[in-house]
Amino acid sequence: MTDTTTADASTDEGADGPFIRPVAMEDDPDELFAGDRGVLDHDVRRALVRLLQRRFLQRERHRDDWKTLVDNQQVIESRLNDLYVRLVVDHDRGVAYKKQVRSDELEVPILLKDEAYTRAETLVLVHLRTIYQRESTAGERAARVDVEDVEQTVLTYFAESDGDVLRRQTHIRNALARLRKEGIIDEESEGRYRISPLVEIVLSSERLLELSAWLREQTARGSGVSDADLAHADDADDEDEETGVVDLADPQESDVTDGEATGEAGTTDDDANEYQENLL
């Protein structure tokens, strides 16, 4: 006859032994997937991942994630800080973005990589920022621009070595496509764009003045703006902060915010490479 009492006791003893009995997901509602050791709710995790995926998290375009971020800002910021990443939340403009922490005192592993604007994107950005500032100063609630206006202005900055008009227009259209993807412009109808307040973060008014003056000088020379010119301008900016092309590194807070992805304007390989931070 089998001693069932002993067998049952042995089973119970094993459950209380040094090993923890696995808990099925249906019996552990806090576990979102098998082996989950995270402590954040699903919505908070999603907002955190969106911040890492995107250059900007915008109040108007990502309403659910924005609300989750605002309601859980401290814990999300803590998680990012654990990765040596800083969170910047601009409530006035309704935008949040991340910034790689860099330190002279600590050896900080770099999680975010930099991606520079192309020359065409930089030139388009300068034109958009100029229009936005002009309309804002005039009291307009929104700034809009047509693709033809962008092309007419930006084409004047290209060098002869950039090929025919069709090729230059293609560069400009591609630049608009990227800026649209980043949320800096929104296409309201075919060929007509609304300029987002993000343009103020990407390009400060101070840097806009510097770059605009430099572009006027290049145009007066009648030589256009080549990649070499931009590189030379950035070299000059390294020597004298009052001149040269704007650095595409950090967005500037206030009228000029200090933040992640790009910032001011310019394009040497070194400075422009500090432009946009994305996950490696």
Side-chain angles (χ1 to χ4, degrees):
M1 179 176 179
T2 304
D3 188 349
T4 55
T5 304
T6 303
D8 291 342
S10 175
T11 302
D12 291 340
E13 181 179 354
D16 296 331
F19 299 103
I20 299 175
R21 179 183 297 168
V23 179
M25 288 187 65
E26 57 269 21
D27 297 328
D28 185 4
D30 293 331
E31 189 175 76
L32 300 182
F33 53 87
D36 180 19
R37 294 296 177 264
V39 298
L40 301 181
D41 292 339
H42 170 66
D43 290 346
V44 181
R45 297 189 198 194
R46 184 183 61 190
L48 175 60
V49 172
R50 295 298 189 216
L51 275 167
L52 292 171
Q53 287 179 326
R54 296 170 176 151
R55 184 180 172 203
F56 295 113
L57 189 68
Q58 297 174 253
R59 179 172 54 207
E60 296 303 318
R61 299 182 71 177
H62 316 112
R63 293 184 180 274
D64 291 342
D65 289 330
W66 176 267
K67 183 179 185 306
T68 300
L69 170 64
V70 173
D71 292 343
N72 300 273
Q73 182 173 337
Q74 185 173 357
V75 66
I76 291 177
E77 189 168 16
S78 174
R79 293 299 184 274
L80 290 173
N81 289 168
D82 285 339
L83 302 175
Y84 293 105
V85 174
R86 181 178 296 116
L87 173 65
V88 180
V89 181
D90 187 329
H91 292 278
D92 292 335
R93 295 186 178 95
V95 59
Y97 50 90
K98 60 194 178 296
K99 181 178 178 183
Q100 178 68 56
V101 171
R102 302 179 188 273
S103 172
D104 294 331
E105 291 76 28
L106 295 174
E107 182 180 349
V108 176
I110 303 302
L111 177 66
L112 307 177
K113 71 182 180 69
D114 304 321
E115 183 180 347
Y117 279 131
T118 66
R119 175 166 47 105
E121 290 162 354
T122 302
L123 296 174
V124 170
L125 185 60
V126 170
H127 183 56
L128 296 176
R129 180 67 172 88
T130 301
I131 294 175
Y132 186 88
Q133 181 165 295
R134 182 188 67 202
E135 296 301 302
S136 297
T137 302
E140 296 293 333
R141 297 184 61 183
R144 294 176 171 84
V145 65
D146 294 318
V147 63
E148 291 80 9
D149 177 41
V150 176
E151 290 180 348
Q152 183 179 2
T153 300
V154 176
L155 283 172
T156 63
Y157 295 130
F158 278 90
E160 293 182 1
S161 60
D162 291 312
D164 57 23
V165 173
L166 180 59
R167 182 179 178 185
R168 300 177 193 183
Q169 286 177 323
T170 300
H171 288 314
I172 294 172
R173 299 290 177 111
N174 289 341
L176 287 169
R178 176 177 178 179
L179 297 179
R180 178 187 177 188
K181 182 179 180 181
E182 292 180 351
I184 296 173
I185 54 175
D186 293 305
E187 190 170 21
E188 295 184 324
S189 59
E190 187 176 356
R192 183 161 180 79
Y193 299 92
R194 181 179 183 274
I195 306 173
S196 164
L198 287 178
V199 74
E200 291 185 303
I201 294 178
V202 174
L203 186 63
S204 73
S205 59
E206 178 184 13
R207 294 299 194 179
L208 175 66
L209 290 174
E210 294 176 0
L211 185 54
S212 296
W214 185 83
L215 288 174
R216 285 195 297 271
E217 179 183 342
Q218 299 303 306
T219 302
R221 289 166 48 191
S223 58
V225 180
S226 66
D227 289 320
D229 290 331
L230 283 173
H232 176 73
D234 273 340
D235 290 340
D237 192 44
D238 289 339
E239 297 173 3
D240 183 356
E241 294 183 354
E242 298 301 320
T243 62
V245 182
V246 187
D247 174 5
L248 272 180
D250 294 327
Q252 302 298 307
E253 291 185 87
S254 70
D255 179 69
V256 290
T257 54
D258 203 1
E260 170 229 331
T262 163
E264 302 172 5
T267 50
T268 64
D269 289 339
D270 291 336
D271 287 337
N273 279 346
E274 288 195 309
Y275 143 64
Q276 180 179 0
E277 295 169 339
N278 291 316
L279 282 177
L280 285 170

